[in-house]
Amino acid sequence: MAVKTTVSSKDIDEAFLQLKDVVKETPLQKDHYLSLKYDCDVYLKREDLQWVRSFKLRGAYNAIIALNENDRQNGITCASAGNHAQGVAYTANKLNLNAVIFMPVTTPLQKINQVKFFGGSNAEVVLTGDTFDDCLKEALTYTQDNKMNFIDPFNNIYTIAGQGTLAKEILKQSKEDNIQFDYLFAAIGGGGLISGIGTYFKEHSPQTSIIGVEPAGASSMYASVVLENQIVTLPEIDKFVDGASVAKVGEITYDIAKNVVDDYIQVHEGAVCSTILDMYSKQAIIAEPAGALSVSALEQYRSEIKGKTVVCVVSGGNNDINRMKEIEERSLLFEEMKHYFILNFPQRPGALREFVNDVLGPKDDITKFEYLKKSSQNTGTVIIGIQLNNHQDLDNLKSNVNEFDPSNIYINENKMLYSLLI
Ligand SMILES: Cc1ncc(COP(=O)(O)O)c(C=O)c1O
């Protein structure tokens, strides 16, 4: 029998039936703040409110329930740094199956604890490998040695069909309120979510343009479909938007995305941080970086969406509170509000006061001041962080700093030094 390598909207209908008593029907909400901001009707599909705080339960459950009884009893494995692991753990507990979940040793404690919480005594967590690829290798070897079943996070037709149930739910909810969407925005990591959603929309709402959103530092679907016309492995990725930072998309998802995604957007990691903070303060929504991508993308589509009806999938809300400081820092850097310099600083009383008076504007603030090296001479090397009150004051600030120390280094434009700071 030929192996099935694509997904139809009928597969998604079937997955919907499998999942109807398992997943929560998450709200589809009109967002007044975003609607006003972009002069259009913006709806949010709140998968951050799903049982495991992301849509990943849909695909994981559907892929596991599709195994035959024998395979299921042999147990399941997965390799994941986050949301897929939670979906697999939740399912193992619900179906009383044995699951071994491989996570990189660098996984934040919050995510490890959530996996243990959802999996209970059914899930064993193995922390291994510094990188996801090392972790994956170990998981695959273990799966083979123990004759278990590996649940792929995106390159599996049942996973994709499960994620597609989100689209069926959106269309069911929008029909009740007589809403038709012109645009749908959703994040892309390995491509399972967009493949499932796109497949369903193309058949049941073909007038909706499907926009896939990737982090600028890991746009592997865009590179594969648009730039290279073949699957490529990105040599280097920025892992900040965990979940959507994938170096290589799947073969199945690549083939589907080629047909169902109308456009791709790359969003700067700093812009995602600003969106997370905005969603938190204006809408009281806790979105994780991958979960905020779709909303962040609206800025680049501002003129196209004016007067239109738009839905953004808020795909996850597992944001580790310990990351908030970094999120705030990245946002300020992106908004050009925070600036770092290395400069020679006179080691004498009153020097700092002079710096404040001569270099800073009246509402600017020093957020960091640290001697990197004090010398026996009368100057020392200092790293200094300055938060502007208005980003338009940057030219003025730079010219004042240049006057203070012409040999200063502006760190924001130096990728290597900058990465040491945040
Ligand atoms: C919150 C969130 N959004 C989006 C994605 C991307 O999904 P996919 O890998 O199916 O493209 C992920 C993947 O883990 C995720 O966790």
Side-chain angles (χ1 to χ4, degrees):
M1 197 176 79
V3 179
K4 205 165 167 317
T5 57
T6 195
V7 176
S8 67
S9 72
K10 195 165 148 281
D11 297 324
I12 296 168
D13 288 331
E14 280 167 18
F16 191 81
L17 290 178
Q18 289 288 5
L19 291 170
K20 73 177 186 352
D21 298 325
V22 179
V23 300
K24 189 193 280 188
E25 180 176 311
T26 55
L28 176 72
Q29 295 172 338
K30 169 115 186 246
D31 189 285
H32 295 286
Y33 167 69
L34 292 170
S35 300
L36 210 62
K37 184 173 177 184
Y38 293 109
D39 197 9
C40 63
D41 286 332
V42 178
Y43 289 80
L44 300 180
K45 177 62 174 166
R46 299 287 309 276
E47 279 294 288
D48 56 306
L49 300 177
Q50 190 49 263
W51 297 125
V52 295
R53 284 203 247 145
S54 88
F55 70 96
K56 282 275 173 176
L57 173 60
R58 297 174 184 266
Y61 189 94
N62 197 49
I64 292 166
I65 205 80
L67 297 170
N68 67 41
E69 185 56 31
N70 226 357
D71 283 345
R72 247 184 276 161
Q73 291 314 321
N74 285 342
I76 50 183
T77 64
C78 75
S80 163
N83 289 332
H84 179 60
Q86 293 185 36
V88 170
Y90 185 99
T91 306
N93 189 271
K94 187 147 184 90
L95 300 176
N96 195 21
L97 304 175
N98 173 27
V100 184
I101 291 167
F102 291 78
M103 305 181 90
V105 285
T106 48
T107 307
L109 193 62
Q110 181 258 358
K111 291 208 163 154
I112 300 168
N113 287 341
Q114 284 296 92
V115 169
K116 287 183 176 164
F117 170 70
F118 287 125
S121 58
N122 292 86
E124 180 193 344
V125 173
V126 178
L127 296 176
T128 179
D130 282 339
T131 66
F132 178 74
D133 286 344
D134 293 342
C135 170
L136 174 66
K137 223 180 270 171
E138 195 128 341
L140 291 173
T141 309
Y142 181 94
T143 307
Q144 207 169 30
D145 291 351
N146 293 279
K147 300 191 169 42
M148 293 173 82
N149 299 277
F150 183 76
I151 307 300
D152 198 288
F154 48 80
N155 202 40
N156 171 321
I157 55 163
Y158 296 100
T159 308
I160 296 168
Q163 321 302 30
T165 61
L166 191 57
K168 187 173 165 82
E169 220 173 87
I170 292 174
L171 290 177
K172 176 172 120 9
Q173 291 168 316
S174 58
K175 207 165 161 196
E176 283 159 14
D177 293 331
N178 234 336
I179 304 161
Q180 283 211 350
F181 294 112
D182 300 299
Y183 291 96
L184 176 140
F185 292 80
I188 301 182
L193 176 64
I194 204 81
S195 297
I197 290 179
T199 299
Y200 204 79
F201 264 77
K202 284 297 159 207
E203 180 152 345
H204 296 278
S205 181
Q207 74 282 3
T208 308
S209 292
I210 306 295
I211 317 294
V213 190
E214 295 180 286
S219 305
S220 46
M221 191 65 92
Y222 173 70
S224 300
V225 175
V226 181
L227 300 182
E228 303 290 339
N229 205 22
Q230 61 179 326
I231 297 179
V232 292
T233 304
L234 300 179
E236 214 184 305
I237 57 169
D238 183 333
K239 297 214 176 72
F240 176 73
V241 185
D242 56 330
S245 297
V246 170
K248 187 178 173 206
V249 301
E251 279 133 40
I252 304 174
T253 54
Y254 169 80
D255 281 341
I256 298 176
K258 264 197 313 193
N259 294 321
V260 301
V261 178
D262 295 294
D263 195 11
Y264 294 88
I265 295 186
Q266 300 82 49
V267 177
H268 189 286
E269 282 69 10
V272 177
C273 291
S274 298
T275 303
I276 292 172
L277 297 175
D278 214 33
M279 289 173 80
Y280 182 78
S281 58
K282 302 276 191 351
Q283 299 136 293
I285 295 174
I286 298 172
E288 64 181 278
L293 271 177
S294 60
V295 173
S296 216
L298 295 179
E299 196 60 44
Q300 291 185 42
Y301 249 66
R302 192 181 261 280
S303 57
E304 289 91 335
I305 60 177
K306 192 167 179 214
K308 305 281 188 196
T309 305
V310 171
V311 56
C312 294
V313 178
V314 181
S315 48
N318 281 302
N319 207 350
D320 191 337
I321 189 78
N322 296 316
R323 292 187 84 186
M324 278 322 254
K325 196 83 216 120
E326 183 191 358
I327 288 170
E328 200 184 352
E329 182 76 13
R330 280 183 181 257
S331 166
L332 285 169
L333 286 165
F334 177 74
E335 306 288 339
E336 296 190 332
M337 297 296 278
K338 199 148 187 190
H339 304 275
Y340 288 97
F341 299 86
I342 293 175
L343 39 85
N344 289 307
F345 213 87
Q347 295 183 95
R348 60 171 167 72
L352 182 57
R353 187 173 317 127
E354 273 167 33
F355 180 85
V356 172
N357 289 341
D358 298 347
V359 175
L360 301 191
K363 289 191 173 164
D364 301 339
D365 196 14
I366 295 183
T367 56
K368 185 180 181 77
F369 186 91
E370 194 179 324
Y371 273 104
L372 294 174
K373 193 171 154 213
K374 280 196 176 183
S375 70
S376 52
Q377 277 94 45
N378 51 7
T379 64
T381 313
V382 159
I383 179 163
I384 189 159
I386 296 163
Q387 189 164 326
L388 293 176
N389 186 51
N390 184 337
H391 74 100
Q392 284 167 345
D393 294 337
L394 177 60
D395 286 345
N396 207 21
L397 175 72
K398 276 182 169 173
S399 106
N400 290 348
V401 173
N402 279 338
E403 214 161 291
F404 187 84
D405 173 16
S407 63
N408 78 83
I409 301 171
Y410 179 50
I411 298 182
N412 293 49
E413 282 168 0
N414 186 316
K415 217 173 166 191
M416 219 273 282
L417 287 175
Y418 173 91
S419 71
L420 292 176
L421 255 186
I422 61 161

